[in-house]
Amino acid sequence: MFVITPEMGPAFVETLPVGKFHGVGPATAAKMKRLGIATGADLRAQSLAFLQERFGKAGSYYHSIARGIDERPVRADRVRKSVGAETTFERDLWSFEELSAELLPLLDKLWRYCEQGGIRGRTVTLKVKFQDFEQITRSRSFPAALACSAALQSASLDLLSPLFPLSKGVRPLGASLSNLDTRDEPATQQLAFPLPL
């Protein structure tokens, strides 16, 4: 865990790549890069008028977040809707064998988290993002919550296999459980497992 105090905020925001800001996806980050905006400091240097002219309504949001201003309310008591895990590969993966070999450990981590929290879900969703940033999801819902790791793995592999053969490589891959059987759980969480350095 890394704590960013209010005093540290401005300097931290300045060093962030624009793609790390909430609401800045790959396409927007690429557009910003073409405009010479690569970091929070670059974004902060732009006028409100410049950002609105190029990004429309989102321009005022980008202007604010570059200054550490985010007026969205914090809702710490939202009911959790899903739990998930995602990873990004160092290179594009093309085969079912490669992707399933990466997916299974991810599902094991997700299931361990569910076990620790007493979480069960009825809907399995697989998220696949391709090398050109196109993203697809495939879901399957069951009448009752999945009872074991093997059921999660089977459902996830069943969602993965119809995608082959691929016409383009895959980088990020993720899986989640929703339609949760939980009581008084906190807000939705996404588990990320970074690549080893």
Side-chain angles (χ1 to χ4, degrees):
M1 188 184 317
F2 183 72
V3 176
I4 302 165
T5 65
E7 296 77 25
M8 296 163 60
F12 179 79
V13 168
E14 285 182 1
T15 62
L16 276 181
V18 289
K20 295 289 186 181
F21 284 93
H22 177 79
V24 178
T28 302
K31 182 176 179 180
M32 287 184 177
K33 186 176 181 180
R34 288 193 301 272
L35 294 168
I37 304 169
T39 66
D42 296 335
L43 187 57
R44 185 180 180 126
Q46 308 307 315
S47 69
L48 178 58
F50 176 89
L51 293 172
Q52 287 176 330
E53 181 182 326
R54 280 146 182 94
F55 299 98
K57 292 178 185 176
S60 56
Y61 170 72
Y62 300 146
H63 187 264
S64 295
I65 60 171
R67 288 156 179 78
I69 301 166
D70 188 347
E71 300 296 343
R72 292 175 300 150
V74 175
R75 298 184 310 189
D77 58 349
R78 284 185 301 152
V79 174
R80 175 183 289 144
K81 302 206 183 212
S82 68
V83 291
E86 184 176 318
T87 191
T88 301
F89 313 121
E90 292 179 350
R91 62 180 178 84
D92 297 334
L93 300 185
W94 290 82
S95 73
F96 177 77
E97 291 73 24
E98 288 179 310
L99 283 163
S100 58
E102 295 289 346
L103 180 60
L104 292 176
L106 194 69
L107 296 171
D108 286 341
K109 289 178 183 178
L110 173 56
W111 190 258
R112 280 196 303 274
Y113 180 82
C114 290
E115 285 281 284
Q116 291 167 357
I119 299 166
R120 294 293 182 267
R122 291 190 305 106
T123 300
V124 178
T125 300
L126 184 71
K127 180 171 84 171
V128 177
K129 191 179 282 188
F130 297 101
Q131 61 197 48
D132 62 357
F133 302 112
E134 179 194 1
Q135 178 177 300
I136 61 169
T137 58
R138 298 292 183 263
S139 298
R140 182 171 175 204
S141 293
F142 297 88
L146 300 181
C148 63
S149 175
L152 174 62
Q153 289 182 0
S154 176
S156 300
L157 291 173
D158 285 348
L159 293 170
L160 181 65
S161 63
L163 303 179
F164 294 88
L166 295 174
S167 60
K168 47 194 168 183
V170 172
R171 275 292 174 97
L173 180 67
S176 63
L177 275 174
S178 56
N179 286 323
L180 300 182
D181 179 16
T182 57
R183 292 168 186 83
D184 302 321
E185 290 291 337
T188 298
Q189 294 187 9
Q190 176 76 21
L191 306 177
F193 302 101
L195 292 169
L197 298 177

